Amino acid sequence: IIVPFYKEGLDLVGAAVDSAIAQSYGNLEILVVEDGSPRGDASEIHATLGARDPRVKILRKANGGLATARNYAIERAEGEYFLFCDADNILLPDYAATVVDVFSRSTEAAAVVPRFQIFDDSSGEDQTIVQGLPFDRALNVFRNSVGDAGAAFRREVFCEHGLRYDVDVDTYSDWALWMDIASLGLPIETVPRVLYRYRQREGSMMSEYAWDRHLPMVGMLIQKHLPDTTEREREVLITLLQGWGVGAILSALSGRADTWEEPVKIARRLRPGQTRYDLAEAIGRVADKFPRLGALGRRLFKRALAAHGRWKDRRR
């Protein structure tokens, strides 16, 4: 079981490691990979976790991102099967036993993907249960539909087929791995049971970086990992992705005017508890009452966005 961590505290990474220790299947190696943590108490976290169970091994490396931490553990793990658990997630007690059972019966399977339960970190309330789907090229360009990072793999996926997590798409490196597995035609077994809990919280890598990096990261996924795609098809897909943008896609798919007329409300639906555009919301309320002022505001906002884009291009 591989548990990478960067800046998560002992409460989070400790819960993840405790859930690995508590597995009903006992023949485990638990690798905790510290990816160059900036925390002043990182050494204390190592000592505390290492003392909890003799199966826990602490690996330390220079910071390189989540993908490099997973790859670092892959190259040092001794087990026949690799099960990945992010530092803020929690494995249910029968996950490892289920993995061993499924792999022993499905001898051709390269990976095991269970359902997972999303829960809110602040309230503890359960939210959506997510089920992985068979790989579909069209759907997979839109979202990572096969599975989350918290899946299990045979050693052969990494040691014989040579696959690794792509460090260039660090936020979506699990998404890239599923594409690579599909390119090789390796079978995946889905388990219709919830076997881990996915913590949704502010400060996570997904909440801090994924949305801002979404378009370039998906472009790189298309360029480097989308199976059975010609160079011309990749060019067209990337042009559509970068030129059309998420807002236009949402508008086309939903058929709702508010996807472009009320962006603050849509942003809140997409990222609850994270959008803080209070000024924009106030302007939006005024614009609803005064349409002419709203039209002027949209023109000014468009120019501001263009200027911001040029500024970001210079920074890149």
Side-chain angles (χ1 to χ4, degrees):
I1 299 178
I2 295 171
V3 185
F5 87 97
Y6 173 55
K7 61 180 180 179
E8 296 83 2
L10 182 60
D11 56 340
L12 290 181
V13 68
V17 172
D18 284 344
S19 73
I21 293 171
Q23 291 297 298
S24 60
Y25 183 84
N27 186 20
L28 298 174
E29 176 186 47
I30 302 168
L31 300 181
V32 180
V33 190
E34 184 226 307
D35 183 39
S37 176
R39 296 184 62 93
D41 61 348
S43 295
E44 297 175 19
I45 293 174
H46 300 162
T48 301
L49 297 178
R52 289 184 178 180
D53 193 285
R55 297 170 296 176
V56 176
K57 299 179 182 178
I58 307 296
L59 303 178
R60 303 182 71 173
K61 60 178 288 296
N63 178 249
L66 179 58
T68 67
R70 290 172 178 158
N71 292 338
Y72 191 83
I74 287 169
E75 291 160 5
R76 289 156 179 80
E78 299 177 4
E80 184 178 352
Y81 311 126
F82 298 167
L83 193 164
F84 292 88
C85 177
D86 286 348
D88 50 2
N89 291 343
I90 299 172
L91 307 177
L92 297 190
D94 290 335
Y95 192 174
T98 303
V99 166
V100 173
D101 179 58
V102 172
F103 276 137
S104 65
R105 289 185 291 105
S106 302
T107 57
E108 299 299 317
V112 173
V113 178
R115 291 177 180 172
F116 60 92
Q117 172 76 66
I118 297 176
F119 72 100
D120 182 75
D121 179 51
S122 57
S123 68
E125 294 181 357
D126 289 344
Q127 297 178 341
T128 308
I129 292 177
V130 180
Q131 168 73 61
L133 301 173
F135 182 84
D136 178 89
R137 289 174 71 250
L139 178 60
N140 204 255
V141 172
F142 185 69
R143 68 182 180 92
N144 181 10
S145 59
V146 179
D148 180 61
F153 304 85
R154 288 190 190 274
R155 167 178 285 275
E156 289 84 350
V157 170
F158 306 106
C159 297
E160 292 185 8
H161 297 289
L163 297 185
R164 290 293 187 273
Y165 288 93
D166 186 349
V167 300
D168 291 333
V169 288
D170 190 52
T171 314
Y172 291 161
S173 59
D174 55 313
W175 193 346
L177 181 63
W178 293 122
M179 288 183 169
D180 292 342
I181 288 175
S183 295
L184 295 175
L186 302 178
I188 298 170
E189 283 286 342
T190 58
V191 178
R193 288 175 53 197
V194 172
L195 290 176
Y196 70 97
R197 293 173 59 77
Y198 180 103
R199 189 190 307 268
Q200 198 163 63
R201 64 184 180 89
E202 292 190 14
S204 69
M205 185 178 74
M206 290 301 295
S207 66
E208 287 191 344
Y209 306 120
W211 186 254
D212 293 339
R213 300 177 180 176
H214 180 76
L215 289 179
M217 290 299 98
V218 175
M220 293 187 71
L221 289 174
I222 294 169
Q223 183 65 41
K224 298 178 63 178
H225 299 281
L226 187 63
D228 303 322
T229 309
T230 66
E231 181 177 354
R232 180 57 182 161
E233 288 172 332
R234 289 194 295 271
E235 289 177 358
V236 171
L237 286 172
I238 292 172
T239 299
L240 287 173
L241 174 78
Q242 303 294 344
W244 203 7
V246 173
I249 292 173
L250 287 172
S251 301
L253 291 174
S254 67
R256 294 175 52 155
D258 59 4
T259 54
W260 64 86
E261 291 177 352
E262 299 179 67
V264 172
K265 292 183 180 179
I266 297 302
R268 281 190 165 170
R269 291 179 195 143
L270 291 172
R271 303 178 65 188
Q274 297 170 26
T275 304
R276 297 291 184 269
Y277 301 136
D278 296 333
L279 177 60
E281 185 177 33
I283 293 173
R285 286 197 296 267
V286 173
D288 287 341
K289 296 181 179 179
F290 304 99
R292 291 184 179 178
L293 183 60
L296 174 62
R298 280 192 290 273
R299 287 196 296 272
L300 292 174
F301 187 57
K302 183 178 179 180
R303 292 180 181 179
L305 282 177
H308 178 66
R310 290 192 295 271
W311 174 76
K312 291 189 74 173
D313 286 342
R314 286 195 296 272
R315 287 189 64 192
R316 293 190 189 101

